[in-house]
Amino acid sequence: MIETMPKTFWQEILSKGVHAMTQGMSSDECIKVTEQFGAHNYHPLAVTLVEGDGSWVWDADGNKYLDCVGSYSAMAHGHRSKSVIDAAREQLDHLTLTSRAVYTRELALFLKALCEYSELDMACPMNSGAEAIETCIKLARKWGYTVKGIPEGKAEIIVANENFHGRTTTIIGFSSEAQYRSGFGPFTPGFISVPFGDIEALRRAITPNTAAIMMEPIQAEAGILFPPDGYMAAVRKECTAQNVLLVWDEIQTGFCRTGKKFAWMHEDAKPDLMAVGKALGGGLFPVSAAIGTKEVVSVFHPGDHGSTFGGNPLGCAIAIMAMAEMEANDLAAKSEVAGKLLLDGFSAIGHPSILEIRGRGLLVGLEFKEGTDTQKLVGNFLKEGIITKETRHRTFRFAPPLTTSREEIDEIVSRTRRAIEAL
Ligand SMILES: Cc1ncc(COP(=O)(O)O)c(C=O)c1O
């Protein structure tokens, strides 16, 4: 199938279906084809997954793993959550894509549910996390010019060193990670970066032209880094005092990942604007949004912004069910309890190669000391049936689905202990 594509290939797909056509491809073949035809912008583990169920995934050779990457924290509901899949199936039988040229019932209910869930007033639906961030940047700047009165072209947004907000050219332009920027300039001006967690540095960076402060409440991609206690509340206070918008990027931390609906709720640091995505798609579909106060979101007028797929009925139906699951099954409480178990379990491992264990809810980082063979560790984890990868700074991410049971958490801990002891 791979070396040459027979002329009958497309007919075969039509008659057999896509799933049947992919069966029989070995893991080696998948890797070879992906590397040949795909851009090399990722360095995946040498594992080809074929099935998922709850906290578990299976590879093409029948090996079973606990999924601790959790699709970079997007897999909150567990693989193939029944209610989310049912919502998608049901919607597939009615209406899937319309564009925003018309209204749909699903979009109406989605927007209302999302605003209620988020305790904010209005939302702008998008697809990927990076788009939600771009939307926040545009809203913040336009608010800065039209409401705050910043002179045209002068709006500044303060961000944090070591941020990760996505991969568009504007967003990488204010990244402090050299590789994210190298070769991709010139970049969009108007961003000022300050050390994360340093409230004095933040205060000093604010000028009359500051439209917004935009940060992650916990820097997940940078290695699950936490600001000092009280920082989020202090940022909120500063923003209010200086007439600056507070924008939290809750794309990774939102929707119960850290044991509360949103990470800002740990300090009651309610934002004026918030970017969400990942888990909103129920582990199924890209759904993101910028959500904010009426004062901010209503600066958009027809033609200011848009997305062909943003707010499509299929995505909306999925996201509504994703939020219903989170509320009805109290995934925030589940995440908090399971996260504590995981932290306690990791602390009890007590291996000399571990430098630090940090986490909140089911967003946990296990940082190893310099000199630890992290490549070997990745292999050891795989051998033990755990999918995890390093973020930056030798920190392994543990972000399993929020539905992971107590027994499965115990499994993660004992397998992790074995993987580390085999170093
Ligand atoms: C905090 C944060 N913001 C933004 C993004 C970008 O989201 P996406 O990959 O859906 O564009 C990510 C993705 O990892 C993220 O963790």
Side-chain angles (χ1 to χ4, degrees), residues 228-263:
D229 283 348
Y231 180 71
M232 284 194 280
V235 176
R236 172 66 276 175
K237 211 167 143 212
E238 200 58 31
C239 284
T240 306
Q242 306 262 17
N243 193 26
V244 166
L245 298 181
L246 172 56
V247 187
W248 288 130
D249 177 345
E250 290 266 8
I251 288 164
Q252 182 145 183
T253 50
F255 296 111
C256 312
R257 176 54 61 189
T258 71
K260 290 209 183 283
K261 288 205 288 186
F262 295 100

Side-chain angles (χ1 to χ4, degrees), residues 58-59 72 93 95 111 117 139 155 168 196 235 282 302 305 376 379 420:
W58 284 259
D59 72 15
Y72 296 139
D93 285 337
L95 186 68
L111 290 171
Y117 187 93
L139 282 168
T168 66
F196 183 55
V235 176
H305 194 53
K376 179 154 190 234
I420 298 173

